[in-house]
Amino acid sequence: MARIKQIILPGRSHAGKVILGLAGLLVAAVVSLLLFIRTETFESWVKGKINQWIVENIDGKVEIHALGFELVPPRVFAEDVSVFDKKGTRFLTCDRIEILPDPISLVKSDINFDEIALTGPSINLVMDEGRITNLPALKRPVQTEGKKPVV
C-alpha cells in the first residue's frame, strides 16, 4: 500500500495532498450540481417557483412543457409555454422563453434578470362589451433600494 502511495503521490507534502483533496472535492461538487440540475426533481422545483411567481404577480398559472438550463452563460429556457388567467383562459403562448439571470444576483440569492427573450409569442385576447376580459391585471412591483421596477 505504501508503494502505491509513492507511485501516485511521489514526494508530495502534507499540504499538497490537502490541496489535491480539496480540488477533488470541488470537482465532485461541480459534477454533482450538474447532474442534479438535470433531474426531474429540480425541474419540478423550478416550475413550481415560476408558477408561484405567476400566481403572486398576475393571478394566473403557467404550463411549461420542457425546461432546460445552460451554465455558460447562465441561462434558463422553457419550451412550449402557456400562461392562463385565474379563470383558466389561455392568454399567452410561447414556443420558447429564454431568461438570462444576472450572475452576481444569483450568488446573493436574489434573482434579477439581464434579459428575457420570447420566441414565437402569441396573445389571445377575449373581448366582451368592448373590454378585454382575460388579460390579468399586472401587479406593479414594489420599488426596492437601487432597483427600478419594470412594468
Side-chain angles (χ1 to χ4, degrees):
M1 186 67 153
R3 177 80 178 133
I4 293 173
K5 286 183 181 179
Q6 288 176 347
I7 293 171
I8 295 174
L9 300 171
R12 297 244 193 252
S13 68
H14 183 67
K17 291 176 185 179
V18 169
I19 291 172
L20 186 61
L22 290 175
L25 286 174
L26 180 63
V27 169
V30 169
V31 169
S32 297
L33 177 65
L34 290 173
L35 292 174
F36 177 68
I37 66 172
R38 301 204 184 283
T39 64
E40 288 183 29
T41 302
F42 184 73
E43 185 175 319
S44 295
W45 179 79
V46 171
K47 285 180 181 179
K49 289 293 187 182
I50 292 169
N51 205 35
Q52 178 184 355
W53 185 89
I54 294 288
V55 167
E56 290 173 356
N57 289 283
I58 62 173
D59 291 331
K61 71 173 193 161
V62 66
E63 286 182 1
I64 301 170
H65 181 265
L67 192 65
F69 309 93
E70 295 175 5
L71 292 179
V72 178
R75 178 184 316 260
V76 177
F77 59 89
E79 295 177 337
D80 192 17
V81 179
S82 297
V83 181
F84 301 87
D85 68 1
K86 63 183 172 185
K87 295 177 186 173
T89 305
R90 178 178 297 157
F91 74 89
L92 173 69
T93 57
C94 283
D95 295 334
R96 183 176 171 102
I97 299 175
E98 289 187 34
I99 301 170
L100 183 64
D102 176 22
I104 296 171
S105 70
L106 292 176
V107 173
K108 296 178 181 178
S109 298
D110 183 28
I111 300 174
N112 293 316
F113 304 120
D114 284 340
E115 179 183 329
I116 298 176
L118 306 177
T119 304
S122 175
I123 299 174
N124 177 35
L125 300 177
V126 177
M127 301 291 289
D128 186 28
E129 297 180 10
R131 67 182 194 95
I132 301 171
T133 60
N134 70 322
L135 186 63
L138 299 175
K139 298 177 182 176
R140 185 170 184 89
V142 177
Q143 186 163 350
T144 58
E145 186 177 320
K147 296 181 184 176
K148 297 177 185 173
V150 179
V151 178

